[in-house]
Amino acid sequence: MTTGFSSGSSRFADYFVICGLDTESGLEPDELSGENFEQSPLRRTFKSKVLAHYPDNVEWNPFDQDAVGMLCMPKGLSFRTQVDSREPQFHSFIITREDGSRTYGFALTFFEEVTSKQICSAMQTLYHMHNAEQYDILHTPTTPHGPEDQRLPQPRPVLHAAPAISRLQRFNSYDISRDTLYVSKCICLITPMAFAQACRKVLEQLHQAVTSPQPPPLPLESYIYNILYEVPLPPSGRSLKFSGVYGPIVCQRPSTSELPLFDFAISEMFNLLGVENVLQLFTCALLELQILLYSQHYQRLMTVAESITALMFPFQWQHVYVPILPASLLHFLDAPVPYLMGLHSNGQDDRTKLELPQEANLCFVDIDNHFIELPEELPQFPNKLEFIQEISEVLMSFGVSPEGNIHSSESQGRSRFRSVDMVSDKRNGNLGSPLTSYLLRENETIARLQALVKRTGVSLEKVRDDASCNKDARAQCDEEELKMHQLNIQVREVFANRFTQMFADYEVFVIQPSHDKESWFTNRDQMQNFDKASFLSDQPEPYLPFLSRFLETQMFASFIDSKILCHDDEEKEHTLRVFDARVDKIRMLNVRTPTLRTSMYQKCTNIEEAAIEMRVAKIDHTALHPHLLDMKIGQGRYEQGFFPRLQSDVLSTGPTSNKWAKRSAPAQWRRRDRQKQHAEHLYLDNDQREKYIQEARNLGTTIRQPKLSNLSPSVIAQTNWKFVEGLLKECRNKTKRMLVEKMGREAVELGHGEVSITGVEENTLIASLCDLLERIWSHGLQVKQGKSALWSHLLHYQDSKEKNATPGGLGPPGKRSSMPPLRISLIQDMRHIQNIGEIKTDVGKARAWVRLSMEKKLLSRHLKQLLSDHELTKKLYKRYAFLRCDDEKEQFLYHLLSFNAVDYFCFTNVFTTIMIPYHVVIVPSKKLGGSMFTANPWVCVSGELSETGVLQVPRNTLEITFECQNLGKLTTVQMGHDNSGLYAKWLVESVVVRNEITGHTYKFPCGRWLGKGIDDGSLERILVGELMTPTTENDERMCRTPPMQQSPGMMRRFVTISPSSKPKLNTGQIQEGVGEAINGIVKHFHKPEKERGSLTLLLCGEYGLVWALEQVFQHGFKSPRLFKNVFIWDFLEKAQVYFESAEQREATPDENWQTRVRHFCRFMRAINSTSRNIGKDGKFQMLVCLGARDHLLHHWIALLADCPITSQMYEDTALIKDRSLVNSLIRVLQTLQEFNITLEASLVKGVGI
C-alpha cells in the first residue's frame, strides 16, 4: 500500500478497467438484458466481461467486479459491421455502496475489429438460424410463393426472398466472407471524486494513442501508471495539472467555503428539458417521489440525475439512486420506495410500450423528447414564476435558451462524444494537441460560445494573433470549460439562494434533544426534530402546500439530524457549514424579524466565480510527468487499432516511496486535513458520528442501493423481503406521526404547550399516506392496469362482488331518537366515489376513497375485507408481494386501525363542491302529546361551507332526505313551524342530521317548546349541533379526542321551564363562565384561519358567550309570582322603554351615554320588529351575537348596571348591582374588541343591521 493511508484515497484514480469480449468464453447471450430474439443477431446483446483492472484491489475502495462490469457496458456487448457508425461514446456512472458513500466511474466505449475466427463464425451461424426463422415467419401463406420456396436451403439467396427481408438485411446482415465484424470495448477510470471533464480527456487521449498511426511517445502503461499512482487529488480550493498522452489536463477543486464539487454541465440539462420542466422535476425530487429518467444516451441520464441532485444543496437525496439502471435490474422498477433511476431506451419503442409497475406518484422524464409526466397534485415550488425568470436570465447570459433546445444539445451531445477516428486525420502526427484542435473544429457548441464571447466584447482575435495555432486551440478549449464552470456556479447559487431565503430562520425551530446522544439515537423514530407547525405558521400562505410536504421528507429530517449532531463548526458536515455561513450572511444583510412573513422574492446576489478563474490562471500543483517504467524489452508493444492487454506486473503496485507527498508539502496533506477534504465531498467521515448519521438516515430507508450483482432468485427474494420490511416500518412511522399530530400529545410532551395540526399539514400527511398505500399495492403486481394499483384492485373486487351482491339498504332499525346506522359497505363507498363527476383519474378516485374511508373510520376494515378475497389477491400479485406476506399484512392493517381513535374530516373538507345527500329526522318529545301537533314544520341546515334554505318537513313522518352541495361540517339547524291548525304547540327533543356519504351524524338538542303562548312564545329556534360518536362499545373506548362542544339550551331549559328549580351558580362560578367563554373566542382567533372551528358554537353553544351572559342576568333576578315566567328579554324591553323616555327628556347630557343608548335601542327595536318568530330567548341570543359583532357588549353592560329598572327587578345581592364585579365583567368583554367577528347567516337572518 503506497499511500500509507487507509482513511480513503488521496489519489486521483483508484482503478483503470478494461471491459469487452472475452474470446475464451465466446458469445453468451445476455438474457437478463431483456432483448428479444426476434432481433437480428447484430442487434442482440451479449455478455461483456471485465477483462482486466489495475491494481487488483485498493483497501479503501474494494473492486466490485459485477457492478463495474454492468455499469461500464450496461447493455452488454454490441456488434457492428463496417457499414454501421462506430463513434466512441463517453459516459459516466456512479456506484453507491451499502453505507451510502459513492465512487464514480468514467467510461469510453469504442469499437474494435473482431480477430477471433470462432466469434466470426458463431455470428455467421446465428445469422443463418435467424434468417431461416424470419423466412418462416414471412412465408407462411396458404398459397405457395412459387420459386421463392425452393430457395430456402441456400442461405445466401434468402436475402432476396421478399422486399421486406432484403431491406432489413442490407443493414442487419453479416457475411463472414464480405463483412468486417466489430465489437464494443470499454476503458474506464474509477475515481473517488467526479472530475468528469478531466477523466474524459484522459480516456479520449488514451484511445487516440491506440488508434493513431504513430505510437505514443511512451508505452500506454506509463500513462496509466501515472494516473493511478502519481497524480494526487487536488487539495481543497486548489487546482492541479497533470499530463495526458498528448496534452496537459487541469482539474480544480472548490474550497471549503464554496459549493461542493460538481463537474457535469448543468446547461446540458436545461438544453434537454427547458427551465419549466427542470423546475417540476426538481420539485418532484425534493418531495421524494419516484423519478424515472428515460433516454437513449447514458451520459444524459447521468447528467440530469447528477445535476438535479446537485441543485438540491444543502439537502441530499436519501433514497435509491441509480442514474443508469442496467438492463438486468429492470425488476427494480417495482421497488415500493422513492427512487431516482435512469432507464436506457433503445430509441425504437415509444413511451406507451413501457410497462411500469407503478405510476401513481411517478415523475417520468423522457429526456430525448423534452417531455415530462408529473404525478397528480404536485404543489408549486414557492415563487415559481420569479424563480424561473431568475434562472432564465442566468442561462440567457450564457447563450442557453430557457425553453431548452433539443437540437443544440443533440449536436452538442454528438460533437462532445465524437472523438475522432484519428486515422482519417492527416495532420495527426505533428500537432501538439491534435484532439483538442480537432474537437474545436468540429464543435458547434464552441462556435456558439465564440459568438457569445464576441457579443460580450471579449476579443479572441488578439489571442489568436499573438499565439500559435496550438496555444489558441487550448486556450479556447479551456475557455469553454471555464464557461461551463461559471454557468454551473451561477445556476447552483441561484438554487441554493432559494433555500437560504426559505430557511433563513430554520435554526430557531430545531428541537434539540433533551437526552444524551445515545438515547436520542435509540429513540430517533419517536422524536420530532423540528417544530414544523410553528415554522409553517410563519410562512406565507402560497408556500404552504410545498413546504408542508417538504418538511415530511427524509432529506429534510437527515439535514436537521446532522444539524443536531454537530454543535460546533469543527464537527459540521461540509454542506451544513457552507449553508449555515450563507444563512448568517443573509440574516446580516436583511435583518428581517422572524415573525414577519414575507413572500418578497429576493434574487441571488452571492455568486463567487472569481475563485475558479483564479485557480485556472494560476495552477497550484503539477503532478509528476509520465515516465518510462521498468519494463522488459518488447513489452509495451501493441497493434495499432487495438487496445492491448497491459502489463499487469508493472501496473499492479505503485511506487515504493510516495514521491508526490513530498512535492506537495505546501498543501500539507496531514491526515486530519485530508479526512476533512474527503468528508467534504463524499460526505463521509470515519468516526462514530458518521455511523450515527448513517443509522439515523437508514431509519426511513432500508435500501439505499440495489446490489449490482448477477442476480440469483435468492438475491431478488432477499431484496423484496427488505422492501416488505421497509414498507411496514414506514407504515408504522406514518400512522404514529399522524396520530401524534392529531392528538397533539407528543408536542405537548416536548414542551410546546398546545399544538394544533394545520389543515395544510393534515392534508400533506394524508396525501403521503395515499402514496404509501399506492406503493404497497403496486409491489409485486402481476400485470399493471391503470395508473393506480389500489383502485385497480378495488375495481376487480367490485366486479367479482357485484355479480352476487344484494342492493345496499340501511342496516337494522336503530333506537328511537336517532336514525338507524348506515350499512357498512365497501362497494357502496366505491359507488359514491364513482358518482363524483369532478374526479376524473384512477389515482384521484383511489385517494378520494381513502379519504372517505378515513373519515368513516373504516379504512382498516375495508382494506381487510378487500384482502380477504385470497383468490383475487393470488390472481393479481406475485408470491413475494407485500400483500401476500400474511404477518406483515396483518400488522399493517392493525396500524391503520389506530386511525379510528381520531376524527378526520379529510373527505368533507377537500371535496367541497360535490353533491351530498343528507337525511334529517326531527325527534319530538314523547311525553307531551306530539301526535296531536297540527302545524307544518320546516328546517334549514347550515354548515361551515353553506346552508340549505328552508326545507318543509312532512308532518306525519318528521323526516326528509335531500341532496345539496357539500355543507361542510354542520353547525346550526334553524327549525320552526307555521303555527297553523288547532294545536300548534310542539315540544321538540332534538333534530338529527346525517351525511349519507360519510355517515357523520349530528345531533342538535332542543328540549324547548315551539308555539305561541307557551315557553318563551317562540315559533322557531336556532339549534347548535355536535357530531355524535358511534355508540358501539369498542368505538367508545378507542375515541380519545374530546367530542365537540354541545349545544345550547341545556342549562337554559331549567331556567325557563321551572324557575324554581334553576341551578344556583354563585358569582365566582358565573365570572369563571364568562372568562371561559371569552377565552374560547380569543383562542379561536389566534389559530390560523384554516384550523378554526365553529365560532357559532363558541357564541351560542353550551357554555358559550350567550349562556354565560344569561347567567349574569339570571343572578339575583327577582322571582315573579307563581306560574308567570319572566324572561331576561322582558327586563331588557323595560330598560329600553326607560332609555327612550330618558332620551326624550334629555335627562343626561353626556354625549357618550346618548350614543350608547341610541345603539342599544336601535338593536332592540330591530330585533323586536323582525318577521321571524324566534321567541324571547332567541331574541336575547341575537342581541348578544350582534353586540359581540359590533363590539358594543361592554357599553351595554355599563348602561344596564346604572339603569333604575335594574334596581327594581334585581335583588341587592345580584351580580349586576355589584360595582366591582360589573367593572371586571366590562374589562373581560373589552378583550373582544380586537377581533373581527363574522356571524353565521342563520344567527342574524331577518335583522337588517
Side-chain angles (χ1 to χ4, degrees):
M1 200 24 245
T2 58
T3 48
F5 301 116
S6 62
S7 72
S9 170
S10 49
R11 313 199 299 217
F12 181 84
D14 288 339
Y15 295 101
F16 179 78
V17 186
I18 307 174
C19 294
L21 169 65
D22 182 0
T23 44
E24 261 82 279
S25 63
L27 285 184
E28 287 182 71
D30 192 356
E31 309 88 8
L32 278 171
S33 72
E35 293 294 303
N36 49 12
F37 285 105
E38 286 89 75
Q39 293 270 22
S40 68
L42 275 179
R43 294 284 165 268
R44 293 180 198 163
T45 48
F46 298 92
K47 280 189 181 149
S48 62
K49 294 267 168 63
V50 174
L51 302 177
H53 60 95
Y54 314 100
D56 272 343
N57 210 20
V58 294
E59 56 184 283
W60 60 85
N61 178 8
F63 188 73
D64 184 342
Q65 181 125 355
D66 285 333
V68 172
M70 276 185 181
L71 291 167
C72 278
M73 304 183 100
K75 273 202 126 51
L77 295 172
S78 43
F79 285 90
R80 301 268 191 281
T81 62
Q82 73 284 353
V83 294
D84 301 305
S85 77
R86 304 188 302 283
E87 288 172 4
Q89 294 284 337
F90 172 81
H91 78 272
S92 37
F93 57 85
I94 190 167
I95 297 175
T96 311
R97 297 192 203 81
E98 291 284 310
D99 64 354
S101 60
R102 295 174 174 179
T103 318
Y104 291 87
F106 300 95
L108 185 72
T109 308
F110 48 89
F111 285 88
E112 279 184 357
E113 192 179 325
V114 178
T115 48
S116 151
K117 289 279 176 286
Q118 289 99 322
I119 300 287
C120 292
S121 52
M123 184 56 84
Q124 177 85 64
T125 313
L126 284 172
Y127 256 99
H128 286 319
M129 289 155 62
H130 176 69
N131 288 346
E133 281 166 27
Q134 285 298 319
Y135 191 87
D136 286 350
I137 292 167
L138 282 172
H139 294 263
T140 44
T142 46
T143 54
H145 253 250
E148 287 168 356
D149 287 349
Q150 285 97 57
R151 289 196 199 147
L152 186 60
Q154 304 123 13
R156 285 293 298 277
V158 170
L159 291 177
H160 314 288
I165 282 201
S166 62
R167 214 171 38 246
L168 204 99
Q169 300 303 21
R170 204 164 310 134
F171 298 106
N172 278 345
S173 67
Y174 170 63
D175 176 343
I176 198 161
S177 59
R178 194 185 58 200
D179 294 326
T180 318
L181 189 62
Y182 293 88
V183 67
S184 55
K185 188 178 228 175
C186 170
I187 51 176
C188 164
L189 280 175
I190 305 286
T191 64
M193 286 192 189
F195 289 108
Q197 310 302 324
C199 290
R200 177 180 194 140
K201 286 180 189 163
V202 171
L203 294 171
E204 284 177 343
Q205 294 190 25
L206 279 170
H207 175 244
Q208 182 196 334
V210 177
T211 48
S212 74
Q214 282 83 14
L218 293 169
L220 287 183
E221 281 83 352
S222 295
Y223 300 105
I224 290 167
Y225 183 88
N226 180 254
I227 191 92
L228 284 176
Y229 301 113
E230 296 172 328
V231 178
L233 280 175
S236 272
R238 305 293 175 90
S239 51
L240 168 80
K241 184 159 90 178
F242 60 94
S243 312
V245 183
Y246 293 109
I249 294 169
V250 175
C251 62
Q252 48 164 318
R253 179 165 162 189
S255 71
T256 46
S257 63
E258 294 170 62
L259 292 174
L261 171 69
F262 184 74
D263 202 31
F264 295 85
I266 286 186
S267 58
E268 174 92 351
M269 173 175 71
F270 284 103
N271 260 332
L272 289 164
L273 294 173
V275 180
E276 170 79 32
N277 283 340
V278 166
L279 200 55
Q280 298 284 36
L281 169 59
F282 182 63
T283 310
C284 291
L286 288 171
L287 299 179
E288 299 185 335
L289 299 168
Q290 291 175 323
I291 297 173
L292 186 61
L293 310 173
Y294 190 61
S295 168
Q296 296 182 55
H297 306 270
Y298 294 121
Q299 188 55 19
R300 286 183 181 180
L301 295 172
M302 186 71 178
T303 302
V304 172
E306 284 288 281
S307 303
I308 278 292
T309 47
L311 291 176
M312 289 175 168
F313 172 90
F315 304 102
Q316 288 156 37
W317 180 258
Q318 297 291 328
H319 300 276
V320 174
Y321 181 69
V322 194
I324 296 175
L325 186 67
S328 53
L329 284 185
L330 283 184
H331 69 275
F332 227 83
L333 292 172
D334 199 1
V337 290
Y339 58 66
L340 202 167
M341 301 206 230
L343 187 60
H344 183 261
S345 83
N346 58 10
Q348 273 100 51
D349 295 350
D350 60 352
R351 159 82 178 92
T352 49
K353 296 238 179 70
L354 202 59
E355 272 293 307
L356 299 174
Q358 43 193 347
E359 299 179 47
N361 43 358
L362 178 73
C363 168
F364 180 82
V365 186
D366 187 343
I367 297 176
D368 304 338
N369 295 318
H370 198 88
F371 164 73
I372 179 168
E373 238 175 76
L374 295 168
E376 293 178 26
E377 295 177 26
L378 186 72
Q380 286 259 4
F381 191 79
N383 295 106
K384 183 175 161 193
L385 296 176
E386 295 97 322
F387 190 25
I388 286 182
Q389 181 62 36
E390 187 181 4
I391 304 166
S392 305
E393 284 166 14
V394 172
L395 293 175
M396 278 148 66
S397 70
F398 283 89
V400 177
S401 152
E403 281 78 50
N405 183 346
I406 193 84
H407 303 298
S408 81
S409 61
E410 276 287 318
S411 61
Q412 176 184 356
R414 258 197 240 103
S415 57
R416 296 291 297 275
F417 298 154
R418 185 186 302 152
S419 148
V420 53
D421 200 351
M422 285 293 175
V423 189
S424 62
D425 185 8
K426 306 281 186 299
R427 289 158 310 159
N428 199 357
N430 51 19
L431 253 180
S433 174
L435 179 66
T436 43
S437 69
Y438 182 86
L439 277 174
L440 276 175
R441 281 205 315 284
E442 287 291 298
N443 201 334
E444 298 161 41
T445 322
I446 294 187
R448 292 220 320 282
L449 279 162
Q450 279 175 306
L452 178 76
V453 170
K454 281 204 187 86
R455 281 207 304 281
T456 51
V458 180
S459 162
L460 284 174
E461 296 309 319
K462 291 196 199 71
V463 189
R464 199 157 275 153
D465 296 341
D466 49 39
S468 70
C469 162
N470 172 15
K471 274 238 188 73
D472 159 44
R474 196 166 311 147
Q476 278 192 327
C477 209
D478 293 345
E479 177 94 19
E480 184 191 356
E481 206 168 305
L482 185 61
K483 275 269 184 299
M484 178 201 93
H485 281 298
Q486 287 170 329
L487 172 66
N488 278 5
I489 287 289
Q490 291 204 17
V491 171
R492 291 172 69 201
E493 288 289 3
V494 168
F495 273 80
N497 176 56
R498 289 299 350 108
F499 288 122
T500 40
Q501 301 281 358
M502 247 184 278
F503 291 101
D505 335 309
Y506 84 102
E507 292 189 45
V508 187
F509 301 98
V510 174
I511 300 171
Q512 288 294 346
S514 43
H515 331 289
D516 55 304
K517 293 270 165 76
E518 280 297 331
S519 60
W520 182 77
F521 271 104
T522 43
N523 301 315
R524 176 67 198 86
D525 264 5
Q526 282 81 44
M527 302 300 292
Q528 282 285 27
N529 61 5
F530 192 74
D531 182 358
K532 295 172 185 160
S534 311
F535 176 78
L536 290 174
S537 65
D538 273 1
Q539 299 303 313
E541 185 78 18
Y543 290 13
L544 294 180
F546 170 80
L547 278 177
S548 61
R549 280 179 67 175
F550 179 63
L551 298 188
E552 295 299 323
T553 57
Q554 189 70 31
M555 71 177 79
F556 185 75
S558 298
F559 173 74
I560 299 296
D561 281 351
S562 64
K563 176 76 182 168
I564 288 174
L565 288 169
C566 318
H567 283 309
D568 48 354
D569 267 2
E570 264 302 278
E571 283 184 357
K572 277 185 190 170
E573 280 190 15
H574 171 236
T575 16
L576 190 62
R577 199 166 46 236
V578 176
F579 184 69
D580 282 353
R582 308 266 157 126
V583 165
D584 295 342
K585 203 163 175 182
I586 273 199
R587 290 163 89 176
M588 277 160 59
L589 286 174
N590 45 354
V591 190
R592 82 163 213 230
T593 48
T595 50
L596 179 74
R597 300 177 175 205
T598 169
S599 50
M600 275 281 297
Y601 188 83
Q602 289 165 319
K603 277 193 162 179
C604 176
T605 48
N606 168 29
I607 295 182
E608 304 159 0
E609 308 168 9
I612 305 180
E613 296 177 36
M614 295 263 303
R615 285 196 288 266
V616 175
K618 181 186 154 297
I619 303 291
D620 299 301
H621 302 281
T622 305
L624 276 179
H625 281 288
H627 49 87
L628 270 170
L629 299 172
D630 185 12
M631 296 205 288
K632 301 184 185 64
I633 295 179
Q635 287 187 337
R637 289 256 185 91
Y638 59 89
E639 208 180 328
Q640 186 210 333
F642 293 93
F643 203 94
R645 285 271 174 120
L646 302 167
Q647 299 300 320
S648 53
D649 50 350
V650 281
L651 289 178
S652 56
T653 50
T656 43
S657 74
N658 199 348
K659 298 195 184 94
W660 42 258
K662 298 189 199 64
R663 288 186 50 153
S664 57
Q668 293 175 315
W669 289 33
R670 297 192 309 280
R671 180 185 161 86
R672 160 99 192 151
D673 196 41
R674 208 184 45 265
Q675 260 190 349
K676 242 161 77 179
Q677 285 161 0
H678 202 59
E680 211 181 290
H681 292 298
L682 301 195
Y683 314 119
L684 220 79
D685 218 342
N686 276 357
D687 57 11
Q688 212 178 10
R689 190 180 101 245
E690 181 53 37
K691 190 188 93 203
Y692 279 161
I693 288 187
Q694 215 45 64
E695 277 174 18
R697 277 187 196 149
N698 286 341
L699 289 172
T701 51
T702 40
I703 293 196
R704 293 292 289 277
Q705 199 54 29
K707 189 83 186 83
L708 297 177
S709 60
N710 287 323
L711 291 154
S712 59
S714 64
V715 174
I716 295 184
Q718 194 188 348
T719 307
N720 275 308
W721 183 242
K722 273 190 171 167
F723 282 146
V724 168
E725 288 181 322
L727 285 171
L728 187 60
K729 185 171 195 177
E730 197 181 341
C731 176
R732 185 178 66 233
N733 291 345
K734 274 216 165 69
T735 45
K736 181 158 185 188
R737 163 105 171 80
M738 287 170 75
L739 287 173
V740 159
E741 279 294 355
K742 200 67 175 152
M743 297 177 163
R745 254 209 339 270
E746 176 175 82
V748 175
E749 281 168 15
L750 288 169
H752 284 265
E754 280 207 10
V755 67
S756 60
I757 180 167
T758 66
V760 177
E761 210 172 340
E762 173 167 313
N763 251 336
T764 303
L765 293 173
I766 287 173
S768 80
L769 176 74
C770 293
D771 290 347
L772 172 64
L773 293 176
E774 283 294 357
R775 292 211 307 269
I776 287 177
W777 255 258
S778 47
H779 182 236
L781 253 185
Q782 297 271 22
V783 182
K784 195 172 148 295
Q785 296 168 310
K787 283 201 170 184
S788 162
L790 174 57
W791 190 248
S792 156
H793 192 169
L794 283 164
L795 289 173
H796 280 291
Y797 180 80
Q798 189 179 21
D799 285 349
S800 68
K801 287 290 170 278
E802 283 188 337
K803 293 186 186 101
N804 48 14
T806 52
L810 291 172
K815 306 185 300 299
R816 170 191 74 69
S817 93
S818 74
M819 44 191 98
L822 276 181
R823 196 169 68 96
I824 292 176
S825 154
L826 188 162
I827 305 280
Q828 191 56 49
D829 285 350
M830 282 185 68
R831 286 210 198 99
H832 287 313
I833 302 298
Q834 285 158 330
N835 293 338
I836 298 176
E838 288 93 326
I839 307 176
K840 305 276 189 278
T841 63
D842 285 357
V843 177
K845 285 176 183 161
R847 290 186 168 202
W849 182 85
V850 171
R851 285 173 178 279
L852 178 59
S853 307
M854 291 271 291
E855 189 161 321
K856 294 178 89 158
K857 302 190 179 188
L858 292 174
L859 183 60
S860 180
R861 181 165 172 173
H862 277 349
L863 292 178
K864 188 172 186 169
Q865 189 182 335
L866 175 68
L867 296 172
S868 63
D869 186 339
H870 296 299
E871 285 312 303
L872 181 60
T873 315
K874 270 204 185 102
K875 193 174 91 186
L876 296 177
Y877 288 92
K878 299 181 182 132
R879 180 65 204 93
Y880 64 76
F882 182 94
L883 297 177
R884 288 185 62 186
C885 300
D886 293 340
D887 289 357
E888 282 64 29
K889 186 175 74 182
E890 283 306 310
Q891 288 184 53
F892 155 74
L893 291 170
Y894 179 74
H895 288 311
L896 293 184
L897 190 62
S898 57
F899 286 136
N900 295 3
V902 290
D903 296 326
Y904 277 103
F905 288 90
C906 49
F907 180 82
T908 309
N909 290 344
V910 169
F911 299 102
T912 51
T913 56
I914 61 174
M915 297 301 284
I916 290 185
Y918 291 92
H919 186 67
V920 180
V921 175
I922 300 175
V923 185
S925 166
K926 283 287 177 281
K927 293 194 283 288
L928 297 152
S931 51
M932 296 151 54
F933 176 60
T934 55
N936 300 302
W938 56 268
V939 293
C940 168
V941 184
S942 311
E944 288 179 357
L945 298 173
S946 63
E947 65 167 25
T948 58
V950 170
L951 302 161
Q952 296 300 328
V953 182
R955 192 170 64 223
N956 45 2
T957 58
L958 293 184
E959 55 183 282
I960 52 165
T961 302
F962 61 91
E963 195 175 49
C964 68
Q965 195 175 342
N966 186 352
L967 299 171
K969 287 184 205 163
L970 302 188
T971 49
T972 62
V973 165
Q974 303 155 58
M975 64 164 301
H977 60 75
D978 60 1
N979 200 28
S980 59
L982 296 170
Y983 190 76
K985 296 181 174 62
W986 195 27
L987 178 59
V988 175
E989 187 81 18
S990 62
V991 176
V992 182
V993 184
R994 181 173 67 202
N995 175 326
E996 295 291 274
I997 290 185
T998 65
H1000 280 317
T1001 308
Y1002 294 83
K1003 186 174 183 181
F1004 297 85
C1006 175
R1008 306 281 302 266
W1009 285 91
L1010 285 93
K1012 287 270 186 251
I1014 189 165
D1015 199 337
D1016 65 350
S1018 172
L1019 289 186
E1020 59 176 276
R1021 294 193 182 280
I1022 300 166
L1023 311 177
V1024 182
E1026 56 163 323
L1027 185 64
M1028 288 166 65
T1029 42
T1031 48
T1032 49
E1033 277 299 277
N1034 54 354
D1035 277 3
E1036 279 293 81
R1037 204 171 59 252
M1038 283 297 283
C1039 185
R1040 294 201 290 276
T1041 43
M1044 295 161 79
Q1045 286 117 314
Q1046 272 117 41
S1047 179
M1050 294 330 243
M1051 301 294 280
R1052 209 177 294 161
R1053 184 180 343 166
F1054 305 121
V1055 176
T1056 48
I1057 293 182
S1058 45
S1060 52
S1061 66
K1062 68 180 171 201
K1064 291 272 190 281
L1065 296 181
N1066 61 35
T1067 49
Q1069 288 167 323
I1070 292 172
Q1071 275 182 299
E1072 198 178 324
V1074 175
E1076 287 290 303
I1078 299 280
N1079 222 352
I1081 295 172
V1082 173
K1083 271 187 191 161
H1084 170 89
F1085 282 102
H1086 277 294
K1087 285 181 192 165
E1089 208 158 320
K1090 290 223 167 83
E1091 309 162 36
R1092 297 176 181 173
S1094 156
L1095 187 57
T1096 310
L1097 270 178
L1098 299 172
L1099 293 168
C1100 314
E1102 187 174 33
Y1103 306 129
L1105 184 61
V1106 173
W1107 172 84
L1109 290 178
E1110 208 164 79
Q1111 300 314 305
V1112 169
F1113 285 111
Q1114 296 284 7
H1115 188 259
F1117 206 31
K1118 285 184 180 166
S1119 292
R1121 298 180 306 285
L1122 214 53
F1123 299 130
K1124 179 160 186 328
N1125 278 346
V1126 179
F1127 292 87
I1128 299 172
W1129 190 253
D1130 299 326
F1131 156 65
L1132 294 175
E1133 282 179 325
K1134 285 186 177 162
Q1136 179 195 351
V1137 172
Y1138 166 78
F1139 288 137
E1140 282 171 340
S1141 58
E1143 230 186 333
Q1144 245 71 108
R1145 296 195 306 277
E1146 291 190 353
T1148 14
D1150 177 9
E1151 201 164 312
N1152 258 348
W1153 184 85
Q1154 281 185 350
T1155 348
R1156 289 174 191 179
V1157 162
R1158 265 203 300 280
H1159 276 311
F1160 178 70
C1161 296
R1162 194 173 107 238
F1163 278 87
M1164 291 290 293
R1165 281 196 298 274
I1167 292 172
N1168 264 329
S1169 61
T1170 173
S1171 56
R1172 295 171 71 186
N1173 299 304
I1174 50 177
K1176 295 178 178 176
D1177 279 348
K1179 290 177 180 174
F1180 176 71
Q1181 175 169 303
M1182 206 179 258
L1183 183 72
V1184 172
C1185 291
L1186 290 167
R1189 183 190 74 183
D1190 296 351
H1191 307 138
L1192 298 170
L1193 287 177
H1194 54 284
H1195 294 324
W1196 293 347
I1197 294 279
L1199 272 186
L1200 292 168
D1202 292 342
C1203 172
I1205 306 290
T1206 311
S1207 49
Q1208 295 168 24
M1209 296 188 70
Y1210 283 88
E1211 287 156 13
D1212 294 343
T1213 54
L1215 187 153
I1216 194 102
K1217 285 188 173 177
D1218 185 322
R1219 215 61 230 105
S1220 65
L1221 291 180
V1222 168
N1223 284 341
S1224 73
L1225 178 63
I1226 290 173
R1227 273 199 304 280
V1228 172
L1229 286 171
Q1230 274 170 332
T1231 54
L1232 292 182
Q1233 273 179 285
E1234 52 185 292
F1235 304 117
N1236 181 10
I1237 292 178
T1238 316
L1239 299 177
E1240 205 176 303
S1242 60
L1243 296 178
V1244 290
K1245 214 182 257 172
V1247 179
I1249 292 188

